[in-house]
Amino acid sequence: MGLPGFVALRYLVASRKRAHVALISTISVAGLAVGVAALVISIALLSGFQDHIRAEMAQRGPHVAVLPERGDRLADPAAVRRVLEELPGVLSVEPVIEGRGWLSDEEGTHATPVRWRNAPAGALPPASDDLPPARLARGSAGRIGAGVGSAMRVTSQRTRLSPIGPIPVSLLVRVAALAPSGSDGAPDLEIPEETARVLAGSPDAVRAIEARLADASRASEDAARVAAALPGHRVETWRDRNAALSFALRLEKVVIFATVFLVILVAALNVVSNVALLVVEKKRDLGVLTSMGAPPEMLGRVYLVLGAVIGALGTGVGLALGIGVSWALNRFELVPLPGDVYVLSHVPFALHGPELVMIAAFSLATATAAALLPSRAARRIAPGEAIRLSR
């Protein structure tokens, strides 16, 4: 531990005998602990939501998608499908047939723009009658007053020739399920593949082919293999498609970290006042130590160690408090969410080791840096002046 550490610990223990010094020391440790705990809980809250969002992106969306370099249709969908089916660990390969049009009730009294696409095989409930089943987003359903069991008319932008000229392709579907609204990239209406081909106006109107993998982390490696086997095509992974959202999530965490970290900076001011008060209180000791041959650098290290000890105490208490509160909130689901609005039943909290280490390192560094100014003042005190002023 060395002489500076021994003296610093003696000063910290002896401060309990002087009420004002003990109070300031307690406030310094408590303020730092509150700041660290607030930062841990805030980051755990963000991590919980972001982990859930990333898991949903990897679970619901395709992991690898092949699109045409130009145009809106694949020239040879069968060749693309063969390449994707040869990937190791591939779970499914599905074509993407989508378009835009209008959705209205059976009588045509209400209508709303809609983006439709084919649903994965087996994803839709079975049909209850001769009409194709469909899954409709709740937002679109609310705009036209539709619900489960409603018959809806889908009118595509594509046209077909008739004796009176080109007319839009239109057909009836039965709403078999409702889907949450607001997901980026999610269609308003999911319909069977055969129905989507009819609305597209061509049996070969495949916009893209998507593959799901057993291991989503291999998406980038498999995408590179597919790109080499299919020149002239654009290959995207689930990370590429959600790059903007991933950047926004990282930026959000950085902004929250910087904002809540201001609490720790305010607590560091208490460390400055505490160490500065001890420098004034121990002027006689500083003079005695200097007269006994202690160099000024050693006196400065005493107060640096003192700031580090206060920082370690506050950081340790704050980490324990923040981790305990975050674990309890997540384990016992103490912050519920309305199930009809959110897909989660409670607010999730997630604790990540690297983030906790970073919080601890920043807190310790801030508390130690706060002791630099009082430490510098201690190095400049002359022995005779210290003894004279402390009489």
Side-chain angles (χ1 to χ4, degrees), residues 43-124:
I43 297 299
L45 172 63
L46 284 179
S47 297
F49 275 113
Q50 293 181 5
D51 289 352
H52 178 77
I53 293 173
R54 292 190 180 95
E56 288 293 319
M57 289 191 299
Q59 180 180 358
R60 295 189 176 185
H63 299 147
V64 178
V66 180
L67 299 89
E69 186 117 27
R70 296 180 181 85
D72 59 352
R73 296 186 181 183
L74 289 172
D76 191 356
V80 175
R81 177 184 283 272
R82 285 194 298 270
V83 172
L84 290 175
E85 288 176 345
E86 293 174 357
L87 292 176
V90 64
L91 298 178
S92 63
V93 178
E94 299 286 345
V96 176
I97 306 169
E98 65 179 13
R100 295 184 179 273
W102 289 88
L103 182 70
S104 61
D105 53 12
E106 195 171 4
E107 293 77 17
T109 56
H110 300 89
T112 183
V114 67
R115 186 168 70 87
W116 52 265
R117 66 159 290 173
N118 63 305
L124 294 175

Side-chain angles (χ1 to χ4, degrees), residues 14-27 277 281:
S15 65
R16 293 180 300 175
K17 299 178 181 179
R18 304 181 69 87
H20 61 287
V21 178
L23 178 61
I24 294 179
S25 299
T26 304
I27 292 175
L277 180 60
E281 288 281 330

Side-chain angles (χ1 to χ4, degrees), residues 38-340:
L39 189 55
V40 169
I41 295 172
S42 301
I43 297 299
L45 172 63
L46 284 179
S47 297
F49 275 113
Q50 293 181 5
D51 289 352
H52 178 77
I53 293 173
R54 292 190 180 95
E56 288 293 319
M57 289 191 299
Q59 180 180 358
R60 295 189 176 185
H63 299 147
V64 178
V66 180
L67 299 89
E69 186 117 27
R70 296 180 181 85
D72 59 352
R73 296 186 181 183
L74 289 172
D76 191 356
V80 175
R81 177 184 283 272
R82 285 194 298 270
V83 172
L84 290 175
E85 288 176 345
E86 293 174 357
L87 292 176
V90 64
L91 298 178
S92 63
V93 178
E94 299 286 345
V96 176
I97 306 169
E98 65 179 13
R100 295 184 179 273
W102 289 88
L103 182 70
S104 61
D105 53 12
E106 195 171 4
E107 293 77 17
T109 56
H110 300 89
T112 183
V114 67
R115 186 168 70 87
W116 52 265
R117 66 159 290 173
N118 63 305
L124 294 175
S128 59
D129 52 15
D130 294 335
L131 296 181
R135 180 187 288 111
L136 181 61
R138 293 184 183 274
S140 299
R143 286 192 292 271
I144 56 177
V148 176
S150 301
M152 309 301 297
R153 180 172 296 277
V154 187
T155 303
S156 173
Q157 292 179 339
R158 301 286 182 179
T159 60
R160 60 182 176 87
L161 289 176
S162 72
I164 61 173
I167 60 173
V169 178
S170 176
L171 50 80
L172 289 172
V173 298
R174 182 75 66 185
V175 178
L178 296 178
S181 302
S183 300
D184 292 338
D188 303 308
L189 183 70
E190 291 181 283
I191 51 180
E193 183 177 331
E194 297 78 10
T195 306
R197 291 184 186 275
V198 173
L199 288 175
S202 171
D204 299 324
V206 178
R207 181 178 178 272
I209 295 184
E210 300 173 341
R212 287 187 56 81
L213 307 173
D215 185 5
S217 62
R218 290 179 50 87
S220 299
E221 179 182 344
D222 290 340
R225 182 182 304 177
V226 172
L230 294 172
H233 293 76
R234 191 169 78 252
V235 183
E236 298 178 349
T237 67
W238 66 277
R239 290 190 178 92
D240 298 331
R241 291 189 164 188
N242 297 285
L245 179 58
S246 298
F247 174 78
L249 295 178
R250 292 195 300 270
L251 181 62
E252 180 185 33
K253 185 172 288 188
V254 171
V255 171
I256 293 299
F257 184 94
T259 303
V260 182
F261 190 73
L262 293 177
V263 179
I264 297 179
L265 291 180
V266 173
L269 298 178
N270 287 326
V271 177
V272 174
S273 62
N274 182 37
V275 177
L277 180 60
L278 280 175
V279 170
V280 175
E281 288 281 330
K282 303 298 182 180
K283 276 187 176 182
R284 181 190 295 272
D285 294 355
L286 294 177
V288 172
L289 290 173
T290 304
S291 64
M292 294 176 62
E297 291 76 12
M298 193 210 77
L299 301 181
R301 286 198 299 271
V302 169
Y303 293 96
L304 281 179
V305 172
L306 188 60
V309 171
I310 295 175
L313 289 174
T315 301
V317 173
L319 283 176
L321 181 61
I323 292 173
V325 171
S326 299
W327 178 86
L329 291 174
N330 186 71
R331 173 65 178 81
F332 300 106
E333 302 180 3
L334 299 179
V335 186
L337 292 173
D340 56 342

